[in-house]
Amino acid sequence: MRIWSRRMAAWATLGSLLLAGLVAVSWAGEPLDKVRQTVDAVLAILDDEAFKAPERAQERRDKMRQAVLQRFGFEEMARRALGLHWQKLTPQERQEFVSLFSDLLERSYVDKIENYGGKAKNIRYTKETIDKDGYASVRSEIVNPRDLNVDVEYRMLQRSSNWEVYDVVIEGVSLVNNYRTQFSKIIYESSYAALVKQMQLKLAQEKAATGTKN
Amino acid sequence: MHRRVPYHAGLICVCFVLQAMLASSPPAATAQTGVPPRVLSLNDAVGLAVRHSPQVKEEQFGVLVRQSQRAQADAARLAQFEITVVGGPSPRARGNQLSSPDSKLDPEVTGVFGRAIFSIVQPLYTFGKIHSLREAATHGMAVSQAQVHQKATQIAMLVRQTYYGYLLATALENLALEIDDQLTKTLDKVRRQLEAGAPGVDNIDLYKLQTFLGELHKQLNDIREGQAVALTGLRTLLGLPPDLPVALADTALEPLVRDTAPLQQYLDEARHLRPEFIQAREGVKAFEALVKATRADYYPIFFFGVFGNLAEATNRDKFTNPFVFDPLTDDAVAPVLGLRWKYDLGITAGKVDEVEARLGQIQQKQALAEQGIPFQVRQAYLELQQHKANIEATREGFQSGRRWMVAASSNFDLGIGPGKDVADAAVAYAKLRASYFQAVYNYNVGMAKLEHTAGRDVAAVQALLPAMPSNR
């Protein structure tokens, strides 16, 4: 009886270890894979000769937006960036802000990636950390032979088994924290409406530069 | 009303943020088309320069000069043989010392004579002259050898400065190219915005960007000129053909990773290793020996010798009277013990004073080395500490500058921050990054300078010296 108990204990230990390993295998790498997929997808579109014709600029824009929207949780980012001011907005205002914020941020992100010249090999993924609370961090490095490499960290949140980016930290600067400070400053010095107007003007300039409607 | 963004500043800062994220093309290679460049590490370059330096070889010939002087002093201890042979017409001489039909007042040249006068002299005692000359030559050789090391280390130091100088110019070129790339893209964007009639954009933004780009291109040209000069300098120092493509093994300017010993250690090492100290010490000994050798001229030289005269004439009678000697026909050989002494009224004294004065000069040079070299070591040590601190300060500075650029450009991308902030951040980053590169260059050269002032580089160059040249 004692021998049977010892054997059972051994099998139970082994089984739990295997199970933990399997869970680890199924979790390990998913946030990193998701980030890599998104970046590679955007780079593939940028590199696609077929989309470089001016008349296909809108189509190219739409495809990139689609790729980025799959991974970036812009509503979460906008909410965190606005902080306390988010609570004061109506649902319609929130929707308008998220649309404006995501449009500008997505353009900014794609613009930066575009400068890589379509070279995915210049991006190295250096570390992935997954929290048991459903948060993860994917660290990457953009290799620059001319100057220093750039550290980019994607902070992610798991929603309904989908990993979304809620913050991007570039060279130690959290974009969400940065925007929160700046939004608060503008809202305090002027108003929320003034903030939206500034962002709308910027969007108009960006659309003019790229020759796109959205 | 939204304040119009000054695009020149804003777009420049976008450039800088993008610059940091660029996957850029490799920097321009120095190789000519189709010809692979010769790749040189710093050690390769130092080795080539020392081996091919005409200045080092010149100093090596100086060692040969001293070597030959010592050989002369060595040989002065040995016997010396001298012979003079003459021949000529011979006046007839018949008869003997009492009676002869011939007269020296009315000579008849009817024959010829031949005569050899020889001597073999072995110095016995010279009051220390030969020994002192040998000693002076030996110490002179040590001085000359130290001069070879001094020249070689100077050449090595020059190579290091030039090598790091080229890396500095390359780092600055890359920084400028990053900015140039981004400015050009920003300029293109502004043009498109202007063409599309984007609100808040006008021609002034374009002109300002173009002006800034012009200034940057000028800076880039200056940097490239510096780069070309450094490379030409390296080729010359290394004795390489001017059209040979050359590339450095190091592609980035990084601070040397080397522990710094306490100052006292460098001071102690300098005393033993610096060629200048060795030259001064050996030079004093050489001149002290020369003073002894010159003073020995006050005294005679004792010698053993064999002197002889061999002569034969075709028309002169020989006679055997020992009191009469005919130089044209008589033979005489005799061993002798003798002394040679030259007395003058001030020439020897003047020579002694001259050599003593030269000794005084060398002693003052030694005193100068005793004062000057420790000062050089201290100065190099303190400068190195300063450069090290500058590296940390500028590193913190440009890292903060990068964060500033990220924040400012992110705000600009959303239209919530002025372009001026991005421009200010970009300028600060570029300045501090350039200062960082300068600090790294200063540190690396400073480290080489400290090791040079402590004499640590002598051992390294000794292994690189070319073979001693041959006189033949």
Side-chain angles (χ1 to χ4, degrees):
Chain A
M1 193 64 183
R2 264 189 298 180
I3 294 170
W4 186 83
S5 298
R6 279 206 295 272
R7 277 188 189 158
M8 279 302 292
W11 278 112
T13 306
L14 186 61
S16 61
L17 281 172
L18 276 173
L19 188 62
L22 278 171
V23 168
V25 163
S26 68
W27 276 63
E30 191 176 344
L32 193 153
D33 285 342
K34 294 295 182 192
V35 168
R36 196 202 312 264
Q37 277 168 20
T38 303
V39 173
D40 287 353
V42 171
L43 286 173
I45 296 164
L46 289 170
D47 211 25
D48 193 340
E49 289 296 327
F51 284 120
K52 287 187 181 173
E55 58 272 17
R56 295 193 73 180
Q58 187 61 54
E59 190 185 344
R60 183 173 179 246
R61 179 100 207 91
D62 292 341
K63 277 204 161 303
M64 286 194 291
R65 188 181 175 84
Q66 203 180 355
V68 172
L69 279 173
Q70 276 183 355
R71 197 52 49 219
F72 278 72
F74 286 115
E75 184 173 335
E76 179 67 20
M77 287 182 83
R79 186 183 66 77
R80 285 171 182 255
L82 268 181
L84 293 172
H85 301 285
W86 178 264
Q87 307 302 329
K88 300 172 190 170
L89 298 182
T90 64
Q92 190 185 349
E93 283 174 332
R94 287 178 186 178
Q95 197 178 356
E96 179 193 39
F97 185 81
V98 170
S99 172
L100 196 52
F101 181 80
S102 63
D103 215 337
L104 283 167
L105 195 58
E106 172 238 321
R107 282 170 185 275
S108 170
Y109 180 74
V110 168
D111 221 8
K112 286 172 176 51
I113 292 190
E114 186 166 15
N115 286 307
Y116 308 155
K119 294 183 182 70
K121 65 181 182 212
N122 290 324
I123 302 171
R124 286 203 292 247
Y125 297 92
T126 54
K127 193 178 176 182
E128 179 189 53
T129 314
I130 303 171
D131 229 331
K132 59 182 189 305
D133 299 329
Y135 286 90
S137 157
V138 174
R139 286 187 187 265
S140 66
E141 198 177 44
I142 302 168
V143 176
N144 181 0
R146 273 193 193 149
D147 201 5
L148 297 170
N149 295 343
V150 180
D151 293 323
V152 181
E153 181 193 353
Y154 298 89
R155 290 180 178 165
M156 304 179 81
L157 176 62
Q158 194 178 29
R159 279 184 201 266
S160 312
S161 72
N162 186 34
W163 286 98
E164 284 182 349
V165 174
Y166 72 87
D167 194 6
V168 180
V169 181
I170 304 171
E171 292 287 310
V173 177
S174 156
L175 294 188
V176 164
N177 289 346
N178 179 60
Y179 290 142
R180 189 184 307 127
T181 309
Q182 204 62 14
F183 289 161
S184 290
K185 184 181 171 192
I186 294 171
I187 292 170
Y188 178 75
E189 287 177 359
S190 301
S191 63
Y192 172 76
L195 168 65
V196 169
K197 199 168 179 185
Q198 279 180 231
M199 292 170 73
Q200 283 170 339
L201 177 64
K202 183 66 182 180
L203 185 59
Q205 290 168 352
E206 291 299 316
K207 282 179 178 174
T210 54
T212 54
K213 293 193 288 291
N214 55 11
Chain B
M1 183 73 182
H2 171 73
R3 184 164 56 87
R4 192 183 70 207
V5 171
Y7 259 100
H8 69 290
L11 294 168
I12 287 166
C13 69
V14 168
C15 301
F16 276 103
V17 174
L18 296 177
Q19 148 213 317
M21 296 184 153
L22 257 186
S24 58
S25 56
T30 56
Q32 294 172 1
T33 308
V35 179
R38 180 158 177 186
V39 180
L40 294 166
S41 67
L42 179 57
N43 286 341
D44 293 339
V46 169
L48 264 177
V50 168
R51 270 194 293 278
H52 291 104
S53 167
Q55 292 158 310
V56 168
K57 287 177 182 160
E58 181 189 345
E59 296 299 341
Q60 285 182 319
F61 273 110
V63 175
L64 288 183
V65 166
R66 300 291 181 207
Q67 220 169 45
S68 62
Q69 286 172 346
R70 191 173 73 173
Q72 288 174 56
D74 281 340
R77 292 178 300 179
L78 306 173
Q80 292 177 34
F81 173 72
E82 190 179 345
I83 184 167
T84 306
V85 178
V86 297
S90 169
R92 187 170 58 187
R94 294 169 291 180
N96 56 38
Q97 70 275 24
L98 293 176
S99 160
S100 173
D102 300 307
S103 167
K104 69 171 77 169
L105 298 177
D106 185 23
E108 283 184 44
V109 177
T110 57
V112 292
F113 81 93
R115 184 183 181 197
I117 305 156
F118 66 89
S119 65
I120 303 172
V121 176
Q122 170 64 54
L124 294 177
Y125 187 71
T126 61
F127 289 89
K129 185 179 179 70
I130 294 175
H131 172 77
S132 298
L133 283 173
R134 190 177 187 283
E135 202 182 314
T138 302
H139 290 301
M141 272 181 67
V143 170
S144 294
Q145 192 61 56
Q147 279 171 334
V148 172
H149 296 154
Q150 184 185 9
K151 188 55 67 180
T153 55
Q154 283 172 353
I155 298 285
M157 187 68 206
L158 203 54
V159 169
R160 288 193 176 95
Q161 276 177 310
T162 312
Y163 190 93
Y164 289 131
Y166 182 81
L167 288 179
L168 172 64
T170 303
L172 292 174
E173 185 198 23
N174 285 335
L175 184 64
L177 285 173
E178 284 284 306
I179 299 167
D180 183 47
D181 214 7
Q182 291 309 311
L183 271 181
T184 305
K185 285 187 169 112
T186 306
L187 193 62
D188 182 53
K189 192 173 182 180
V190 170
R191 281 201 185 101
R192 281 186 274 120
Q193 285 174 337
L194 278 171
E195 281 165 14
V201 183
D202 65 28
N203 283 315
I204 291 177
D205 300 318
L206 191 73
Y207 304 148
K208 286 180 177 175
L209 268 174
Q210 286 170 333
T211 306
F212 194 81
L213 207 53
E215 174 61 29
L216 181 67
H217 287 162
K218 189 256 176 196
Q219 296 291 339
L220 202 48
N221 289 339
D222 289 345
I223 291 168
R224 283 178 171 154
E225 189 199 343
Q227 211 178 19
V229 165
L231 205 57
T232 304
L234 257 183
R235 282 201 186 95
T236 307
L237 280 169
L238 273 53
L240 296 174
D243 54 352
L244 176 72
V246 166
L248 302 192
D250 295 294
T251 52
L253 182 62
E254 298 288 345
L256 288 170
V257 179
R258 218 171 279 178
D259 292 328
T260 313
L263 172 61
Q264 192 57 47
Q265 188 172 331
Y266 291 106
L267 288 168
D268 294 340
E269 285 173 3
R271 223 163 264 293
H272 291 105
L273 301 174
R274 274 291 289 267
E276 292 86 341
F277 269 130
I278 296 171
Q279 284 175 57
R281 276 197 298 270
E282 295 296 325
V284 164
K285 289 177 186 170
F287 271 93
E288 282 172 348
L290 270 178
V291 166
K292 284 183 195 167
T294 311
R295 281 199 181 128
D297 284 342
Y298 283 130
Y299 306 102
I301 297 173
F302 291 94
F303 64 88
F304 169 78
V306 174
F307 290 85
N309 180 85
L310 301 172
E312 189 66 42
T314 56
N315 57 352
R316 294 174 76 88
D317 290 340
K318 280 189 190 249
F319 43 89
T320 57
N321 188 325
F323 290 103
V324 179
F325 180 73
D326 184 357
L328 299 189
T329 60
D330 278 345
D331 299 330
V333 178
V336 296
L337 272 175
L339 68 86
R340 182 180 297 133
W341 187 38
K342 188 177 170 186
Y343 178 76
D344 58 68
L345 294 169
I347 296 175
T348 302
K351 283 182 182 172
V352 170
D353 289 344
E354 180 188 342
V355 176
E356 282 177 342
R358 287 196 193 281
L359 172 61
Q361 282 182 321
I362 294 290
Q363 283 169 335
Q364 293 313 307
K365 281 189 178 160
Q366 187 181 32
L368 183 64
E370 292 281 346
Q371 287 174 359
I373 288 176
F375 169 75
Q376 284 179 357
V377 175
R378 280 196 178 86
Q379 186 181 34
Y381 190 86
L382 290 172
E383 282 175 359
L384 189 70
Q385 306 308 311
Q386 184 200 347
H387 296 321
K388 193 173 179 181
N390 283 347
I391 289 177
E392 290 314 308
T394 50
R395 180 185 284 137
E396 283 171 21
F398 82 69
Q399 283 173 345
S400 296
R402 281 167 76 86
R403 288 191 285 269
W404 183 9
M405 280 199 312
V406 169
S409 75
S410 300
N411 292 340
F412 179 74
D413 283 349
L414 256 62
I416 56 173
K420 188 179 180 308
D421 279 358
V422 184
D424 289 345
V427 167
Y429 171 76
K431 277 184 182 170
L432 279 162
R433 188 81 174 127
S435 295
Y436 169 79
F437 288 136
Q438 186 66 54
V440 173
Y441 167 82
N442 289 343
Y443 177 79
N444 288 357
V445 169
M447 178 65 83
K449 190 177 166 187
L450 177 61
E451 296 188 341
H452 177 66
T453 56
R456 283 185 170 193
D457 50 351
V458 174
V461 300
Q462 272 176 330
L464 302 170
L465 288 172
M468 282 294 284
S470 170
N471 277 331
R472 291 176 186 80

